[in-house]
């Protein structure tokens, strides 16, 4: 049987079906490539830990630099919020999650302690916090 005879014996719609199937396959590959490059369609969907580092509460940063909330509140962050509130730097809910109010409170503490205002805890900020908790925060004496 020649190729002309084989082609003539197939239903006429097979060419269209083959073309549509090929187009769908290519569209699927392109869609997978776009999602793979652009990330998940959901902007808030966690993408896992990135190499950008972690904050003091142990939260990972995503590729778009948004914190990923841990499954449970951090006891250390809850204590920090309570201590900052005791010194009137923090006026938000004591949740155990690092939030913008917590970072702002840390920056205010750093400002008053004449430290770089990063909004993140480090050894110098911890020392200043301990000193202020022990001796009070009297900026008038400076």
């Amino acid at each position: 049987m020649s190729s002309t005879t084989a082609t003539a014996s197939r239903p006429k719609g097979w060419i269209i079906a083959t073309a549509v199937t090929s187009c769908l396959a290519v569209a699927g590959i392109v869609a997978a490539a776009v999602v793979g490059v652009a990330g998940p369609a959901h902007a808030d969907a966690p993408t896992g830990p990135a190499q950008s580092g972690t904050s003091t509460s142990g939260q990972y940063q995503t590729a778009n630099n948004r914190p990923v909330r841990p499954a449970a509140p951090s006891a250390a962050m809850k204590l920090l919020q309570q201590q900052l509130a005791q010194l009137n730097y923090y006026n938000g809910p004591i949740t155990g999650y690092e939030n913008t109010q917590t970072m702002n409170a840390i920056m205010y503490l750093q400002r008053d302690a004449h430290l770089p205002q990063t909004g993140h805890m480090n050894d110098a900020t911890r020392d200043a916090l301990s000193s202020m908790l022990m001796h009070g925060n009297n900026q008038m004496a400076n």
Side-chain angles (χ1 to χ4, degrees), residues 89 100 102-122 124-125 128 132 139:
Y89 287 115
T100 303
T102 307
M103 292 174 61
N104 287 338
I106 294 169
M107 283 195 298
Y108 297 141
L109 172 109
Q110 290 169 329
R111 177 199 61 201
D112 290 349
H114 308 288
L115 297 170
Q117 297 175 35
T118 64
H120 298 286
M121 293 298 289
N122 55 30
T125 306
M132 288 180 186
Q139 294 300 311

Side-chain angles (χ1 to χ4, degrees), residues 21-43:
T21 303
S22 298
C23 288
L24 288 175
V26 170
I29 292 169
V30 170
V34 169
V35 170
V37 170
H42 228 187

Side-chain angles (χ1 to χ4, degrees), residues 7-9 33 36 65 68-69 79 93 96 99 115 122 124 133 136-138:
T7 306
S9 66
N65 218 16
V68 176
R69 188 167 276 200
L79 176 63
N99 55 32
L115 297 170
N122 55 30
L133 287 168
N137 182 14
N138 186 356

Side-chain angles (χ1 to χ4, degrees), residues 37-107:
V37 170
H42 228 187
D44 294 333
T47 58
Q51 298 300 320
S52 63
T54 59
S55 68
T56 57
S57 66
Q59 295 174 327
Y60 291 108
Q61 300 294 317
T62 61
N64 58 5
N65 218 16
R66 289 187 179 171
V68 176
R69 188 167 276 200
S74 164
M77 184 55 61
K78 194 171 191 175
L79 176 63
L80 176 61
Q81 289 171 334
Q82 291 168 340
Q83 291 171 333
L84 290 167
Q86 181 180 340
L87 294 170
N88 293 321
Y89 287 115
Y90 182 75
N91 191 21
I94 308 296
T95 61
Y97 294 108
E98 184 175 25
N99 55 32
T100 303
Q101 291 172 307
T102 307
M103 292 174 61
N104 287 338
I106 294 169
M107 283 195 298

